Amino acid sequence: MFKELEIFKKELQHYTDRAYFVGGCVRDEFLGRACKDIDIEVFDVEQETLEKILNICAEKLGFKEVELVGKQYGIYKLGELDISIPRIEIKTGDKHTDFECTLCPTLPVVDAQRRRDFTVNAIYKNIFDGSIVDSFDGISDMSKRVIRHIDDKTFVEDALRVFRAARFSSVLDFEISKETKALCKKINLSALPTERIVQETSAALIKSDTPSTYFKILQEIVSDFDTIFGDIDFSEIDSFPVKDIDLMYAFLYKDAEAIPEMIKSTKQRKLIELSRITDEVQLFKAFLKDKEVTKQYAILRGVDFTDKFSKIKAPTGSDIMKKYSIDKPSIEVGILLEKEYKELLKEKERK
């Protein structure tokens, strides 16, 4: 990333001195948090010229080509860097895609900052000299540990910002301002695709130390919380020991029918089936069918698979059939397998 940044700065300096680190990477630097996503906004450079600069950089770095993330939005990817041109967005409808977007390289920095969601995400840091532009007091809000929206009019144009507010509050352990909460309650979420909600929720689950905060805040600011999330139980999610999104959703729902279609998977269904097993022998039989998934769920149950299962040379269905001269698989085989395994556990406990 550092090599990509240095080469980009070297090529860009001939065209502009207005290029800024923006968004989460600036916020996290102030907070002393690690950040993998580096976003840069380049002013005073037309799209065609920026593409030429990026292609030169790509050639020097040995990249096949610069990845175009969205031409309409003027966003490019150079290795680990996301590079964009300032833009003006006008809401044209209810869907999240209903925006008229116009690239505007000469836009004043304050206007580029204004279109962002929260003050803590609207701090700009010049990539050349490190100077800071903080038009909406984001640094002050960080010191107060507050999530505050920037503009009443533009904030409500993207319904996903309700979920982003809850996620940032949960991940950063910040309070959401009263004004922002009040505005969130007024936003219509009916046109928001499930996929986008799932993305924000997944990020909150994986990145937050206390993901229950995310759901508690949403219960406060989303009137149709139950309609969106169904029968969800997040009471113990903060003590969850594994940051695995399939496991976490299975843990939250316990019911395959309640899980939104977007996040259903074979792994989740298996985990949900396992969540209903309380008997250790039955859990072991599930382990024989799918060791990896069962092993992950056993972590939640507090069962040490290495100790209790993996080191035990347990019989298989074939072993039982051979031992008792049974010709075909049957219920009898399962009963005998269970019996033999119980004996193995007793023997291990005696030792």
Side-chain angles (χ1 to χ4, degrees):
M1 180 189 72
F2 293 107
K3 186 177 181 182
E4 294 149 23
L5 179 59
E6 288 310 309
I7 289 176
F8 179 62
K9 284 166 63 177
K10 188 175 180 180
E11 293 299 324
L12 185 65
Q13 66 183 345
H14 305 296
Y15 298 89
T16 183
D17 59 2
R18 289 206 307 157
Y20 301 89
F21 295 112
V22 300
C25 65
V26 182
R27 179 200 66 225
D28 288 346
E29 182 182 349
F30 272 97
L31 294 173
R33 295 169 57 91
C35 182
K36 295 180 181 178
D37 302 319
I38 307 299
D39 296 310
I40 296 173
E41 201 160 83
V42 178
F43 292 72
D44 303 325
V45 178
E46 295 295 332
Q47 188 170 20
E48 186 179 342
T49 304
L50 180 60
E51 287 181 2
K52 288 179 181 178
I53 294 169
L54 291 172
N55 284 327
I56 292 170
C57 293
E59 187 177 347
K60 288 187 175 183
L61 289 162
F63 296 157
K64 186 176 180 180
E65 59 184 7
V66 174
E67 184 182 347
L68 177 60
V69 179
K71 192 172 182 69
Q72 178 188 0
Y73 300 106
I75 302 173
Y76 300 86
K77 197 166 188 67
L78 181 68
E80 297 299 313
L81 305 178
D82 284 355
I83 299 165
S84 63
I85 295 171
R87 61 185 185 266
I88 297 170
E89 296 174 342
I90 299 173
K91 185 75 170 170
T92 58
D94 294 330
K95 296 180 181 177
H96 74 284
T97 53
D98 291 341
F99 277 93
E100 182 182 298
C101 181
T102 305
L103 301 185
C104 188
T106 58
L107 195 70
V109 171
V110 66
D111 290 340
Q113 292 172 309
R114 193 185 305 281
R115 73 170 183 82
R116 294 185 171 270
D117 49 12
F118 306 107
T119 61
V120 297
N121 294 334
I123 306 164
Y124 280 34
K125 179 180 178 180
N126 192 289
I127 70 170
F128 298 113
D129 62 18
S131 60
I132 297 294
V133 183
D134 181 20
S135 306
F136 298 98
D137 296 325
I139 295 173
S140 175
D141 280 342
M142 272 195 288
S143 68
K144 298 171 186 173
R145 306 186 71 80
V146 171
I147 301 294
R148 188 189 314 281
H149 71 281
I150 294 172
D151 185 270
D152 287 6
K153 182 179 180 296
T154 57
F155 183 77
V156 299
E157 291 179 342
D158 185 355
L160 190 67
R161 287 173 170 177
V162 174
F163 296 89
R164 284 173 62 81
R167 173 164 70 88
F168 285 128
S169 177
S170 177
V171 172
L172 301 175
D173 192 24
F174 281 18
E175 288 290 324
I176 301 175
S177 74
K178 291 180 181 178
E179 298 84 0
T180 301
K181 282 185 178 180
L183 204 55
C184 285
K185 291 177 184 179
K186 297 177 182 178
I187 295 176
N188 182 1
L189 305 176
S190 60
L192 194 60
T194 304
E195 181 180 11
R196 299 192 83 202
I197 297 173
V198 168
Q199 288 171 349
E200 283 300 317
T201 303
S202 298
L205 289 172
I206 295 297
K207 295 179 181 180
S208 175
D209 292 333
T210 57
S212 68
T213 306
Y214 171 77
F215 296 108
K216 288 173 183 175
I217 291 170
L218 287 177
Q219 279 185 321
E220 182 182 345
I221 62 178
V222 175
S223 58
D224 51 352
F225 177 90
D226 292 339
T227 303
I228 294 171
F229 287 100
D231 187 13
I232 187 172
D233 177 12
F234 55 86
S235 59
E236 298 177 33
I237 196 68
D238 291 348
S239 59
F240 198 88
V242 186
K243 290 293 186 180
D244 179 300
I245 201 64
D246 284 313
L247 274 168
M248 296 183 95
Y249 275 119
F251 184 82
L252 285 166
Y253 282 95
K254 301 288 195 301
D255 179 359
E257 295 307 313
I259 294 183
E261 278 301 323
M262 284 298 305
I263 54 174
K264 276 190 178 179
S265 72
T266 303
K267 185 178 176 184
Q268 285 165 4
R269 285 194 292 273
K270 286 180 180 178
L271 288 163
I272 290 162
E273 288 170 12
L274 290 169
S275 73
R276 300 189 179 113
I277 297 176
T278 54
D279 179 75
E280 197 170 67
V281 173
Q282 295 297 323
L283 194 60
F284 174 73
K285 287 163 79 173
F287 175 67
L288 293 178
K289 292 179 183 177
D290 192 328
K291 289 181 172 59
E292 190 53 43
V293 171
T294 312
K295 187 173 183 178
Q296 284 183 293
Y297 195 80
I299 294 170
L300 305 184
R301 289 274 310 279
V303 177
D304 188 335
F305 266 69
T306 304
D307 251 13
K308 288 208 166 190
F309 295 156
S310 301
K311 290 184 179 179
I312 294 175
K313 186 164 177 56
T316 64
S318 299
D319 295 334
I320 294 293
M321 289 169 67
K322 191 181 293 183
K323 180 176 180 178
Y324 292 94
S325 301
I326 298 171
D327 295 329
K328 295 180 180 180
S330 63
I331 293 175
E332 184 184 4
V333 173
I335 293 170
L336 290 168
L337 178 63
E338 190 169 321
K339 178 183 175 184
E340 297 244 339
Y341 176 62
K342 280 181 176 176
E343 291 300 319
L344 281 170
L345 276 183
K346 286 179 182 177
E347 184 181 335
K348 181 169 178 57
E349 285 169 3
R350 283 197 295 270
K351 287 180 181 179

